[in-house]
Amino acid sequence: MIHGGTLRAANTFPTDRFLVEFGSRRNSGASYEDIVLQNLMLDCNYRGGGILLLNPIRITISDCYITHFSPVGISVHKGHETFIHNSFLGQHITVGGDPQERNFSGTAIRLDSNDNGITDVVIFSAQIGIEVLGQANIMTGVHCYNKATGWGGTGIMIRKGATQNRIIGCYMDYTGIVLEESNRITISNSYFLGDAFILLKAGRSGTAFGLSIVDNIFTGSEHGVPIVQTQGAFSHVKQTCVDDNSASGMALRSTRARVSVSGFGSSWTVDLSQILLFPAAIAHVQYSFYTPQFNATDARITFPQHALQYITATSITVVSDRPVEAVVSFSIDQSSYTDNDMPSIYHVASPGSQMAPHKN
């Protein structure tokens, strides 16, 4: 255990080192375990990083305050089962709304490792709050207000290849989440303030598989910023659900839609452009046709014949064989769930993301 003290980098401290370092880049295997860093104040003096763990096994970092790092506060490389909790990290000491926020740089926590946990951590200034390059990590109770999205900041960044990661019960304060990897990622029960949103980058694969973004709360400033946005063309959407989120002052987006249209006529069309997440990808459509003037159980009455006529990139149309007063309800899902499902019908490239305003 290393605990209960302060380490401060001198003005001559090497800029490519960390105040606390474990392991060696020459050793590819784990060589240490069961080490605790607790109740430490690490002042990097803008000359290096705070903690470097190389090939760690079962390490705990708790109740630490790490500041003035450049470029990384905590870096975990390979190994597994490092737990970081009850700690505060910030490149600059601030309580938010800093006039120099646009100049914040560096990364507070970098996880280039698998099977780690970050719990109850506050990141109050950095270009990137948490950068995840490994798999099977979990982040819970994290509060990021490190740098507003409008200034180019990112709260949590999931890099390409970092599959099977979970973000649960976190607070994204004017800074959002960027997914360069949409393969088996879960974001749930989190709170997004100040037009903070989730950005999905398609990359070369253009695949969203096992992505779950559910039960989150979004609060914005009536600028119409979508809660989830895409960048690039997604050609495959499978076992993916973006649904059951709530938004105030922002625009909801979902992979599922339940809408109804009504009126007198022989054609009913629903516009999905302001509802569905992926600009043009529909895997399943179901609809019900209700007309109060006809009783389908009365043998003396011929119920209107109706059918799904066509699907475009943003709309679905149902027609009947004669004009009637009707209510047509639709259930749409953009994701396929089995190998037998037909691929999504339409795919187009998406526009660039809509940025959130700066935090005052």
Side-chain angles (χ1 to χ4, degrees), residues 71-231:
V72 182
I74 299 174
S75 180
V76 184
H77 182 69
K78 295 187 177 181
H80 55 87
E81 298 165 13
T82 293
F83 290 93
I84 305 169
H85 58 89
N86 296 339
S87 295
F88 303 91
L89 294 95
Q91 186 181 58
H92 306 274
I93 297 176
T94 176
V95 294
D98 194 289
Q100 298 300 317
E101 182 173 344
R102 69 175 68 199
N103 299 319
F104 291 173
S105 63
T107 300
I109 299 175
R110 176 175 292 152
L111 289 181
D112 188 8
S113 173
N114 301 342
D115 310 336
N116 306 292
I118 301 176
T119 305
D120 298 331
V121 168
V122 175
I123 301 172
F124 53 86
S125 61
Q127 174 78 20
I128 299 174
I130 301 174
E131 182 181 20
V132 181
L133 298 92
Q135 302 178 352
N137 299 289
I138 184 168
M139 288 141 278
T140 60
V142 175
H143 181 190
C144 291
Y145 60 101
N146 47 288
K147 187 176 183 178
T149 301
W151 294 126
T154 301
I156 299 175
M157 171 76 76
I158 306 295
R159 292 297 189 185
K160 194 67 179 175
T163 67
Q164 304 164 86
N165 285 293
R166 293 156 292 163
I167 302 170
I168 301 172
C170 294
Y171 178 11
M172 311 309 296
D173 193 349
Y174 279 76
T175 188
I177 297 173
V178 176
L179 302 184
E180 294 182 350
E181 179 63 67
S182 298
N183 186 339
R184 289 165 290 176
I185 303 294
T186 294
I187 303 172
S188 67
N189 295 105
S190 294
Y191 177 50
F192 295 76
L193 177 66
D195 291 309
F197 60 88
I198 301 168
L199 176 63
L200 313 181
K201 294 187 176 182
R204 292 185 178 181
S205 66
T207 299
F209 172 69
L211 176 64
S212 177
I213 302 175
V214 297
D215 298 323
N216 299 289
I217 301 172
F218 295 81
T219 301
S221 52
E222 305 295 342
H223 286 86
V225 176
I227 63 171
V228 185
Q229 303 178 31
T230 61
Q231 186 179 95

Side-chain angles (χ1 to χ4, degrees), residues 158-310:
I158 306 295
R159 292 297 189 185
K160 194 67 179 175
T163 67
Q164 304 164 86
N165 285 293
R166 293 156 292 163
I167 302 170
I168 301 172
C170 294
Y171 178 11
M172 311 309 296
D173 193 349
Y174 279 76
T175 188
I177 297 173
V178 176
L179 302 184
E180 294 182 350
E181 179 63 67
S182 298
N183 186 339
R184 289 165 290 176
I185 303 294
T186 294
I187 303 172
S188 67
N189 295 105
S190 294
Y191 177 50
F192 295 76
L193 177 66
D195 291 309
F197 60 88
I198 301 168
L199 176 63
L200 313 181
K201 294 187 176 182
R204 292 185 178 181
S205 66
T207 299
F209 172 69
L211 176 64
S212 177
I213 302 175
V214 297
D215 298 323
N216 299 289
I217 301 172
F218 295 81
T219 301
S221 52
E222 305 295 342
H223 286 86
V225 176
I227 63 171
V228 185
Q229 303 178 31
T230 61
Q231 186 179 95
F234 282 84
S235 56
H236 298 90
V237 180
K238 187 172 182 180
Q239 297 180 26
T240 289
C241 178
V242 180
D243 200 11
D244 293 329
N245 300 294
S246 65
S248 174
M250 298 181 71
L252 279 171
R253 290 293 184 269
S254 177
T255 56
R256 298 173 178 175
R258 295 161 292 275
V259 294
S260 297
V261 292
S262 61
F264 182 83
S266 58
S267 176
W268 296 263
T269 299
V270 59
D271 181 15
L272 307 168
S273 60
Q274 300 301 310
I275 302 173
L276 296 180
L277 170 61
F278 299 102
I282 296 175
H284 297 277
V285 176
Q286 292 181 321
Y287 79 92
S288 63
F289 189 93
Y290 169 69
T291 176
Q293 64 191 105
F294 292 97
N295 185 349
T297 62
D298 191 337
R300 297 169 299 175
I301 298 176
T302 302
F303 196 78
Q305 297 184 35
H306 51 87
L308 180 65
Q309 186 182 50
Y310 59 83

Side-chain angles (χ1 to χ4, degrees), residues 348-360:
V348 297
S350 67
S353 62
Q354 299 183 31
M355 306 304 288
H358 309 145
K359 184 175 183 179
N360 294 322

